[in-house]
């Protein structure tokens, strides 16, 4: 399932000014853009507070778009979905006018079914991930999330958003409901996919980073488990991944010969003329070597000489066997280097014969 967030924010980062009246942030052209987006989605999710405060209908307004949906075999409007703990929602609100789903914690299911059961299908969910799993199982392929702040913050914190469309309005509000609350968000940068001017509003679309670094670094770390340990060398895993997430090659230490390093094995397995290498990332459980005892060319130099321009590793090479320094060699060659030290403990575990495993 693809999860798209759409919201409008003031220039100073508010979704709403907190007053009794609903704050108008964008104009007709931007509302029409959102209408077009709604028409492409199977379901629309908003938090219970948004239902209470904004009283939204969440319909596709354009007749033409609704007819197109029907011609494509879909219902006129996306399924409306909300999530509530309190169940404090008005069953006569326009939100419930057509098919709607209300998710609530299992403990409150009976109570919420009592108030809203006639207006909507009330379902149990432990958390937001559970809600998304349920919707996915119902065949929702595109889910649009239209706020508010609590729902957006929770989804982003859990890494559940694939696409984020933010309309930034040239208004200063000064206070109210912040776009996002505080939270621990997944590290790293999103990708700016598009910038569009719609009347006086700037619409920015962000997507997930092209690389799922933690996943692929985990693959590289796990690959090192395949190494046969020797007293004088590390156990390392490496994988080369294209920008679209396609794996191009993998390898581990000594896989193809007694002194061969993991990065070398992986690089030997890619086609140097493959155009995908320019956007690819090499993941290595350990910092690629900058100095090497066994062979003439250290891995950092091999990578710098290849078309690969991005390296992610977990453990900086400890000064045990050689001087290390591969990180600096790569950076000096213009390669983007990302160190993910919080995964280093896993790499220490596979190298307990040489370094402490703390
Ligand atoms: N500018 C925009 O694009 C835009 C879009 C949407 C909303 N808004 C504004 O945003 C404000 C509402 O945002 P909000 O942050 O107050 O509320 P919200 O995100 O709309 O709803 C939060 C409510 O959802 C329920 N909930 C249940 N489980 C949850 C979970 N795991 N995580 C988060 N919420 C969960 C709770 O309902 P119960 O309280 O019932 O238990 C919670 O109070 C309104 O002022 C609205 O005008 C603006
Ligand atoms: Zn090496």
């Amino acid at each position: 399932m693809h999860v798209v967030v759409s919201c409008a924010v003031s220039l100073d980062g508010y979704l709403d000014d907190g007053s009794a009246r609903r704050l108008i942030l964008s104009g007709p052209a931007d509302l029409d853009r959102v209408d077009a987006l709604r028409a492409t989605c199977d379901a629309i999710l908003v938090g219970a507070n948004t239902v209470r405060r904004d009283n939204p209908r969440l319909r596709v307004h354009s007749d033409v778009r609704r007819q197109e949906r029907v011609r494509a075999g879909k219902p006129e409007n996306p399924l409306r979905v909300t999530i509530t703990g309190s169940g404090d929602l008005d069953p006569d609100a326009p939100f419930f006018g057509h098919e709607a789903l209300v998710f609530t914690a299992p403990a409150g299911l009976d109570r919420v079914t009592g108030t809203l059961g006639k207006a909507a299908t009330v379902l149990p969910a432990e958390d937001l991930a559970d809600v998304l799993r349920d919707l996915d199982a119902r065949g929702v392929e595109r889910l649009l999330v239209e706020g508010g702040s609590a729902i957006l913050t929770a989804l982003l914190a859990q890494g559940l958003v694939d696409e984020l469309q933010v309309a930034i309005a040239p208004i200063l509000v000064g206070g109210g409901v912040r776009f996002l609350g505080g939270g621990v968000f997944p590290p790293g940068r999103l990708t700016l996919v598009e910038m569009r001017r719609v009347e006086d509003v700037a619409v920015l679309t962000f997507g997930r980073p092209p690389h799922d670094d933690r996943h692929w670094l985990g693959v590289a770390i796990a690959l090192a488990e395949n190494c046969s340990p020797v007293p004088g060398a590390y156990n390392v895993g490496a994988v080369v991944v294209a920008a679209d997430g396609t794996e191009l090659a993998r390898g581990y230490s000594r896989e193809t010969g007694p002194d061969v390093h993991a990065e070398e094995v992986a690089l030997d397995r890619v086609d140097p003329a493959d155009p995908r290498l320019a956007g690819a990332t090499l993941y290595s459980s350990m910092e690629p070597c900058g100095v090497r005892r066994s062979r003439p060319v250290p891995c950092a130099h091999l990578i710098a000489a290849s078309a690969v321009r991005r390296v992610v590793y977990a453990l900086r090479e400890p000064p045990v066997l050689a001087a290390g320094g591969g990180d600096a060699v790569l950076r000096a060659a213009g390669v983007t280097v990302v160190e993910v030290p919080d995964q280093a403990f896993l790499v220490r575990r596979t190298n307990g014969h040489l370094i402490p495993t703390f």
Side-chain angles (χ1 to χ4, degrees), residues 261 263 288-289 292 298-299:
H261 287 189
E263 302 93 314
C289 59
R292 192 165 173 176
C299 292

Side-chain angles (χ1 to χ4, degrees), residues 314-329:
L315 178 67
R316 198 169 273 259
E317 183 177 352
V320 175
L321 299 174
D327 185 303
V329 169

